[in-house]
């Protein structure tokens, strides 16, 4: 059996504020574990079966941890580094845009809450998707993925690769 990816964690110097940001931008449930130390963001829903019905597999969760003392760790005081990484290439988190939402609404909600729009309106033919990206107020890069469909109609103003 393969090993299974179950979580991705984002650092923040204010996990409670970051959790509010993601709850407001994406509509996810903020599960405090405990408040201000570690927050589990629960998107809800299930992975779909090939026929589009819900499978028994719940969607992945996103964790938000305090960069000053990343939990869990055997040392209750935590270890260095204790600050956010603000330069260089960092991991990116990819979010699939639901069929009843839009990149425009998500980007607007994110920037209204302090995010920085990085780019928008790009079509990636290799994976047949429309992509847009923002940096959250803690420096994490979020890439939005929109399904292009079987015969995509790529808008003229989109960049392509």
């Amino acid at each position: 059996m393969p090993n299974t990816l179950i979580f991705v964690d984002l650092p923040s110097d204010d996990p409670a504020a970051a959790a509010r940001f993601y709850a407001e931008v994406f509509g996810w449930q903020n599960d405090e574990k405990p408040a201000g130390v570690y927050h589990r963001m629960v998107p809800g829903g299930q992975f779909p079966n090939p026929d589009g019905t819900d499978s028994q597999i719940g969607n992945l969760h996103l964790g938000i941890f305090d960069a000053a003392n990343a939990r869990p760790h055997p040392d209750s005081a935590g270890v260095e580094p204790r600050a956010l990484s603000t330069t260089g290439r960092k991991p990116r988190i990819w979010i699939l845009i639901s069929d009843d939402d839009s990149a425009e609404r998500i980007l607007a909600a994110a920037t209204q809450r302090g995010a920085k729009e990085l780019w928008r309106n790009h079509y990636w033919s290799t994976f047949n998707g429309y992509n847009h990206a923002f940096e959250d107020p803690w420096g994490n890069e979020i890439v939005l993925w929109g399904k292009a469909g079987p015969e995509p109609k790529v808008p003229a103003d989109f960049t392509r690769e």
Side-chain angles (χ1 to χ4, degrees):
M1 288 185 59
N3 296 305
T4 303
L5 174 67
I6 59 169
F7 256 87
V8 174
D9 284 347
L10 295 179
S12 172
D13 56 5
D14 187 345
R20 281 190 305 277
F21 174 89
Y22 283 97
E24 292 170 358
V25 171
F26 291 110
W28 296 342
Q29 176 188 343
N30 175 11
D31 186 15
E32 304 167 344
K33 297 276 187 188
V37 175
Y38 190 88
H39 291 250
R40 179 178 69 160
M41 303 311 297
V42 183
Q46 307 294 110
F47 278 102
N49 289 312
D51 67 1
T53 61
D54 283 346
S55 74
Q56 294 181 334
I57 303 166
N59 282 324
L60 299 177
H61 298 170
L62 176 73
I64 301 172
F65 68 94
D66 186 350
N69 188 353
R71 309 306 315 147
H73 191 276
D75 183 344
S76 62
V79 295
E80 295 292 336
R82 295 182 185 280
L84 296 172
S85 175
T86 57
T87 61
R89 176 59 63 201
K90 295 176 271 185
R92 299 183 298 174
I93 306 301
W94 294 74
I95 306 293
L96 177 64
I97 302 166
S98 71
D99 292 339
D100 63 351
D101 206 349
S102 70
E104 292 75 22
R105 190 215 55 84
I106 294 168
L107 289 169
T111 56
Q112 287 169 358
R113 290 163 176 81
K116 173 181 155 188
E117 184 177 305
L118 298 175
W119 46 271
R120 64 167 57 215
N121 300 344
H122 181 72
Y123 173 68
W124 194 9
S125 62
T126 301
F127 292 101
N128 192 29
Y130 302 125
N131 308 140
H132 321 268
F134 66 86
E135 181 180 274
D136 75 11
W138 301 273
N140 300 298
E141 187 173 344
I142 308 301
V143 180
L144 303 175
W145 183 271
K147 299 174 195 172
E151 293 184 34
K153 307 271 189 280
V154 182
D157 66 327
F158 274 50
T159 55
R160 303 157 190 246
E161 68 179 283

